[in-house]
Amino acid sequence: MSRPPRRPAAGLPDRETLVRYLAEAGEQGKADIARAFGLKGVERRMLREMLKELEDEGQLGRRGRRGFVKAGDLPPVGVAYVVDRDADGELYVQLVKGGEDAPKAVLVPERKADRGPAPGVGDRLLVKFARAGEGWEARLIKQLDSGGPGRMLGVVRKAARETRIEPVDRRSKDVLIIPQAFAETLRDGDLVLATPERGEHRYGPQRGKVLETIGREDDARAASLIAIHTHGVPTGFSDSVEREAEDQALPTLKGREDLRQVPFITIDPADARDHDDAVYAERDESADNAGGWIVWVAIADVAAYVRPGTALDREARAKGNSTYFPDRVEPMLPEVLSNGLCSLKAGESRACLAVRMVFSKDGRKLSHRFVRGLMRSHAKLAYEQAQAAIDGQPDDVTGPIMNSILYPLWNAYAAMLKGRERRAPLAIVSPERRVTMAPDGGIASIAPRASLEAHRLIEEMMIQANVAAAETLEQARTPLIYRVHEAPSQEKIFNLADFLQTLGKPWTKGEPATTRRFNRLLEEMRETPHADVVNEVVLRSQMQAIYSPENIGHFGLNLDRYAHFTSPIRRYSDLIVHRGLIRALKLGSDGLTDREIAELPTIAETVTETERRSMAAERDAMDRYMAAFLSDRVGGVFPGRITGVTRFGLFIRLTETGADGLVPVSSLGDEYFTHDDRAHALVGERTGRRWMLGKAVEVRLREATPVTGGLLFEMLSEPDPRDPNAPVPRLGLRGRGAGRPGGPKPSSRTGGRPLGGLKGVRKGKRR
């Protein structure tokens, strides 16, 4: 982070002074700016409001999640991804921490042959930025690893005269030619890791060599392998980490409270291998809390085994979190811990950090207390199993614990639900799909994931435990990593208001964004034909949640303070919160260190980035699983809905599987279509007929490419007629229909997905 050339005058600056200061100082966080101007208390709050206003107006930009810069500026030196290659072969880079809105810079080619393999799309580079006219240029300092310098994951395509490696990343246009002398052992359809050969590369495909064969494109399990390699998800553990994990032993009762007689149970997905959390509830017999409940949440005490500064800790921080695929898990911790000592297995003593929370009959949390203990789970249940028992179908496991454990849990949840309804968190519906693998490694089914009351019970208990952790650390003045979620930006609210105007639904642009306002809109539209599209647009208007040592609250959950405490087996952020509690409450010598406190901003940024990496890998793998599942149904007709509208086509989500694919604009008709971004529609220039976001349609599957996850559809439905009462479209870029020359060539490699927003908030999701 660059430093200002001079210290500014003390006191809250005006807007012009603040912008000028950031132009001179470079990237600065809120705390840095406040210190520079000597701001405290209410002035700091006013600064935050000013920064938000300037960001909404486009005068300031973000560098990553913490730093503000003058809009459009780039640092002198930074790490950038190669994001595009134009028709002339020029590469464009974009600052890694600059987000999607960061300006792109032309990469000035290096002539020196000793630079190694030429950069390609997807590579990560250290570059020097400089102004070039009205734009930017970047000069290569060093090529960084993205799976290795210049490496590419691709699929072998063999022809009579040549062997090519085509990238599995559909954003990449790079192709490698493998000399025939080195291609004899390769088979068509092999998944390989390849690298360009050294030397000057000017025109046409570059020569390359294969470093490793990792699988076959027709293997359904290849989807997760591709995602792991494409996104650089760390795999496996070093020998030193494995040895450290194997040397751990179950802690004794020394310094712990004996909770083994508390009848905790775990409720998890049926296929869960690790169990982070256990719950128990009982009536509060206190005379001053009639009808109230005591709720216990016990979490695996990972901090007892993963201590600061150890090899285990270093690798856990680098991984940041576990990454989950239908056929495998890349865990944050070795299996001897994640599925062993740290997993709250039924009938086995386990170290835990537990919170005892007291709720009134109307769901208000009256108090809470954290203890470090030794517990024993009394039963392991699946969500469906617990729900069936409550619905009147108990089995041999749930039958004996109905009165003592399950009914009290559900009654306590009924009280807590009153508090949740009063809090009014965001009520967006975000359907998910579950991929079930067959014993032979193929895909048995893809179906909607059930949303049960059992899910919501565990979710609410975990949320309250997370809130209690944040409150305790704040009260003890112990620094922590918050889970924060900003309110939608003014620009997003304006876009939402513009769209709602096209439906005749008013939303005052100056109206503050609150969860209650969003929920009222969703409820008003619930029984209308526009319910799904409004839900989708509200979802896209939300910001993404991140980790931060600075608290701004959690908009989606409508909470003033929130931290992740409940999943330390698979999230490093939660381990940091556990260590903070151990330090704050003097529960042991293995709490948060002074060094970690100084590093909290860096740790928060790292775990946010690793979470994004895992989310992208899981999403890409799901696309490929979908394409593989549908590959033998090419030619089939499917119902779906338009979930994305762009100038180059329509994104369709199939009703049956939730698979996303593209209908190219070139196949939509014999006229030009204008992209009306306000209405989220493609509008025919001649007829005025419209393809609108949310429209139910029928499509034919033309192409499914599992290796890239691309699906290409043909539209069978008719567009909506011109709406005489619709506002005048805000003209955007035009897309050519099939009847006009020069339309884009359809290809499943163009496949993609509409923009997403908040994920589901059931247990196991990234709230």
mmCIF file of all heavy atoms in Angstrom, residues 119-137:
data_model
loop_
_atom_site.group_PDB
_atom_site.id
_atom_site.type_symbol
_atom_site.label_atom_id
_atom_site.label_comp_id
_atom_site.label_asym_id
_atom_site.label_seq_id
_atom_site.Cartn_x
_atom_site.Cartn_y
_atom_site.Cartn_z
ATOM 1 N N PRO A 119 3.153 -15.514 -22.178
ATOM 2 C CA PRO A 119 1.925 -15.512 -21.380
ATOM 3 C C PRO A 119 0.713 -15.845 -22.243
ATOM 4 O O PRO A 119 0.678 -15.555 -23.448
ATOM 5 C CB PRO A 119 1.842 -14.074 -20.857
ATOM 6 C CG PRO A 119 3.226 -13.519 -20.996
ATOM 7 C CD PRO A 119 3.818 -14.199 -22.186
ATOM 8 N N GLY A 120 -0.283 -16.449 -21.618
ATOM 9 C CA GLY A 120 -1.538 -16.753 -22.285
ATOM 10 C C GLY A 120 -2.705 -16.363 -21.414
ATOM 11 O O GLY A 120 -2.537 -16.003 -20.238
ATOM 12 N N VAL A 121 -3.908 -16.417 -21.965
ATOM 13 C CA VAL A 121 -5.110 -16.054 -21.215
ATOM 14 C C VAL A 121 -5.218 -16.948 -19.982
ATOM 15 O O VAL A 121 -5.083 -18.160 -20.063
ATOM 16 C CB VAL A 121 -6.358 -16.185 -22.097
ATOM 17 C CG1 VAL A 121 -7.620 -15.954 -21.264
ATOM 18 C CG2 VAL A 121 -6.305 -15.204 -23.243
ATOM 19 N N GLY A 122 -5.455 -16.322 -18.832
ATOM 20 C CA GLY A 122 -5.554 -17.048 -17.576
ATOM 21 C C GLY A 122 -4.307 -17.004 -16.735
ATOM 22 O O GLY A 122 -4.348 -17.313 -15.542
ATOM 23 N N ASP A 123 -3.138 -16.626 -17.330
ATOM 24 C CA ASP A 123 -1.893 -16.571 -16.571
ATOM 25 C C ASP A 123 -1.899 -15.385 -15.606
ATOM 26 O O ASP A 123 -2.561 -14.372 -15.835
ATOM 27 C CB ASP A 123 -0.695 -16.453 -17.509
ATOM 28 C CG ASP A 123 -0.355 -17.777 -18.173
ATOM 29 O OD1 ASP A 123 -0.918 -18.799 -17.750
ATOM 30 O OD2 ASP A 123 0.452 -17.790 -19.104
ATOM 31 N N ARG A 124 -1.132 -15.529 -14.547
ATOM 32 C CA ARG A 124 -1.010 -14.493 -13.522
ATOM 33 C C ARG A 124 0.373 -13.880 -13.634
ATOM 34 O O ARG A 124 1.380 -14.588 -13.611
ATOM 35 C CB ARG A 124 -1.225 -15.092 -12.135
ATOM 36 C CG ARG A 124 -1.559 -14.107 -11.042
ATOM 37 C CD ARG A 124 -2.135 -14.841 -9.829
ATOM 38 N NE ARG A 124 -1.187 -15.787 -9.303
ATOM 39 C CZ ARG A 124 -0.453 -15.593 -8.212
ATOM 40 N NH1 ARG A 124 -0.557 -14.455 -7.551
ATOM 41 N NH2 ARG A 124 0.384 -16.499 -7.777
ATOM 42 N N LEU A 125 0.420 -12.551 -13.739
ATOM 43 C CA LEU A 125 1.683 -11.858 -14.000
ATOM 44 C C LEU A 125 1.901 -10.741 -12.990
ATOM 45 O O LEU A 125 0.940 -10.130 -12.503
ATOM 46 C CB LEU A 125 1.668 -11.230 -15.406
ATOM 47 C CG LEU A 125 1.168 -12.073 -16.585
ATOM 48 C CD1 LEU A 125 1.105 -11.204 -17.836
ATOM 49 C CD2 LEU A 125 2.053 -13.269 -16.802
ATOM 50 N N LEU A 126 3.173 -10.470 -12.703
ATOM 51 C CA LEU A 126 3.544 -9.257 -11.987
ATOM 52 C C LEU A 126 3.944 -8.247 -13.044
ATOM 53 O O LEU A 126 4.855 -8.492 -13.844
ATOM 54 C CB LEU A 126 4.711 -9.518 -11.032
ATOM 55 C CG LEU A 126 5.190 -8.314 -10.208
ATOM 56 C CD1 LEU A 126 4.099 -7.859 -9.244
ATOM 57 C CD2 LEU A 126 6.473 -8.652 -9.455
ATOM 58 N N VAL A 127 3.246 -7.104 -13.089
ATOM 59 C CA VAL A 127 3.455 -6.148 -14.173
ATOM 60 C C VAL A 127 3.640 -4.738 -13.624
ATOM 61 O O VAL A 127 3.280 -4.431 -12.485
ATOM 62 C CB VAL A 127 2.268 -6.150 -15.165
ATOM 63 C CG1 VAL A 127 2.109 -7.501 -15.837
ATOM 64 C CG2 VAL A 127 0.976 -5.739 -14.462
ATOM 65 N N LYS A 128 4.214 -3.888 -14.475
ATOM 66 C CA LYS A 128 4.366 -2.467 -14.185
ATOM 67 C C LYS A 128 3.342 -1.717 -15.038
ATOM 68 O O LYS A 128 3.317 -1.866 -16.266
ATOM 69 C CB LYS A 128 5.782 -2.013 -14.530
ATOM 70 C CG LYS A 128 6.078 -0.548 -14.194
ATOM 71 C CD LYS A 128 7.480 -0.161 -14.657
ATOM 72 C CE LYS A 128 8.531 -0.943 -13.917
ATOM 73 N NZ LYS A 128 9.903 -0.509 -14.299
ATOM 74 N N PHE A 129 2.463 -0.937 -14.388
ATOM 75 C CA PHE A 129 1.416 -0.206 -15.102
ATOM 76 C C PHE A 129 1.887 1.216 -15.411
ATOM 77 O O PHE A 129 2.613 1.835 -14.625
ATOM 78 C CB PHE A 129 0.133 -0.125 -14.268
ATOM 79 C CG PHE A 129 -0.598 -1.428 -14.119
ATOM 80 C CD1 PHE A 129 -0.595 -2.112 -12.911
ATOM 81 C CD2 PHE A 129 -1.283 -1.979 -15.184
ATOM 82 C CE1 PHE A 129 -1.272 -3.303 -12.757
ATOM 83 C CE2 PHE A 129 -1.969 -3.176 -15.048
ATOM 84 C CZ PHE A 129 -1.959 -3.841 -13.834
ATOM 85 N N ALA A 130 1.433 1.730 -16.551
ATOM 86 C CA ALA A 130 1.722 3.120 -16.923
ATOM 87 C C ALA A 130 0.605 3.628 -17.820
ATOM 88 O O ALA A 130 -0.023 2.862 -18.559
ATOM 89 C CB ALA A 130 3.067 3.222 -17.640
ATOM 90 N N ARG A 131 0.345 4.938 -17.739
ATOM 91 C CA ARG A 131 -0.635 5.563 -18.615
ATOM 92 C C ARG A 131 -0.142 5.513 -20.056
ATOM 93 O O ARG A 131 1.044 5.681 -20.327
ATOM 94 C CB ARG A 131 -0.857 7.022 -18.218
ATOM 95 C CG ARG A 131 -1.724 7.203 -16.997
ATOM 96 C CD ARG A 131 -3.192 7.104 -17.337
ATOM 97 N NE ARG A 131 -4.059 7.401 -16.215
ATOM 98 C CZ ARG A 131 -5.374 7.261 -16.252
ATOM 99 N NH1 ARG A 131 -5.955 6.833 -17.364
ATOM 100 N NH2 ARG A 131 -6.103 7.555 -15.205
ATOM 101 N N ALA A 132 -1.085 5.269 -20.989
ATOM 102 C CA ALA A 132 -0.765 5.282 -22.417
ATOM 103 C C ALA A 132 -1.914 5.989 -23.121
ATOM 104 O O ALA A 132 -2.931 5.374 -23.455
ATOM 105 C CB ALA A 132 -0.589 3.866 -22.961
ATOM 106 N N GLY A 133 -1.773 7.304 -23.310
ATOM 107 C CA GLY A 133 -2.882 8.077 -23.873
ATOM 108 C C GLY A 133 -4.031 8.089 -22.887
ATOM 109 O O GLY A 133 -3.861 8.425 -21.711
ATOM 110 N N GLU A 134 -5.218 7.687 -23.349
ATOM 111 C CA GLU A 134 -6.380 7.649 -22.471
ATOM 112 C C GLU A 134 -6.522 6.302 -21.778
ATOM 113 O O GLU A 134 -7.420 6.112 -20.958
ATOM 114 C CB GLU A 134 -7.649 7.946 -23.284
ATOM 115 C CG GLU A 134 -7.680 9.356 -23.863
ATOM 116 C CD GLU A 134 -8.975 9.633 -24.596
ATOM 117 O OE1 GLU A 134 -9.823 8.721 -24.663
ATOM 118 O OE2 GLU A 134 -9.142 10.753 -25.097
ATOM 119 N N GLY A 135 -5.658 5.350 -22.137
ATOM 120 C CA GLY A 135 -5.751 4.031 -21.539
ATOM 121 C C GLY A 135 -4.527 3.687 -20.709
ATOM 122 O O GLY A 135 -3.828 4.560 -20.199
ATOM 123 N N TRP A 136 -4.271 2.379 -20.557
ATOM 124 C CA TRP A 136 -3.175 1.883 -19.740
ATOM 125 C C TRP A 136 -2.403 0.827 -20.510
ATOM 126 O O TRP A 136 -2.961 0.122 -21.359
ATOM 127 C CB TRP A 136 -3.711 1.258 -18.448
ATOM 128 C CG TRP A 136 -4.308 2.238 -17.502
ATOM 129 C CD1 TRP A 136 -5.588 2.713 -17.510
ATOM 130 C CD2 TRP A 136 -3.650 2.868 -16.409
ATOM 131 N NE1 TRP A 136 -5.773 3.598 -16.495
ATOM 132 C CE2 TRP A 136 -4.611 3.712 -15.786
ATOM 133 C CE3 TRP A 136 -2.371 2.812 -15.879
ATOM 134 C CZ2 TRP A 136 -4.304 4.476 -14.677
ATOM 135 C CZ3 TRP A 136 -2.062 3.570 -14.761
ATOM 136 C CH2 TRP A 136 -3.033 4.398 -14.170
ATOM 137 N N GLU A 137 -1.117 0.708 -20.205
ATOM 138 C CA GLU A 137 -0.317 -0.387 -20.718
ATOM 139 C C GLU A 137 0.393 -1.049 -19.548
ATOM 140 O O GLU A 137 0.587 -0.439 -18.486
ATOM 141 C CB GLU A 137 0.694 0.077 -21.761
ATOM 142 C CG GLU A 137 1.794 0.985 -21.230
ATOM 143 C CD GLU A 137 2.782 1.396 -22.315
ATOM 144 O OE1 GLU A 137 2.421 1.326 -23.506
ATOM 145 O OE2 GLU A 137 3.913 1.790 -21.958
#
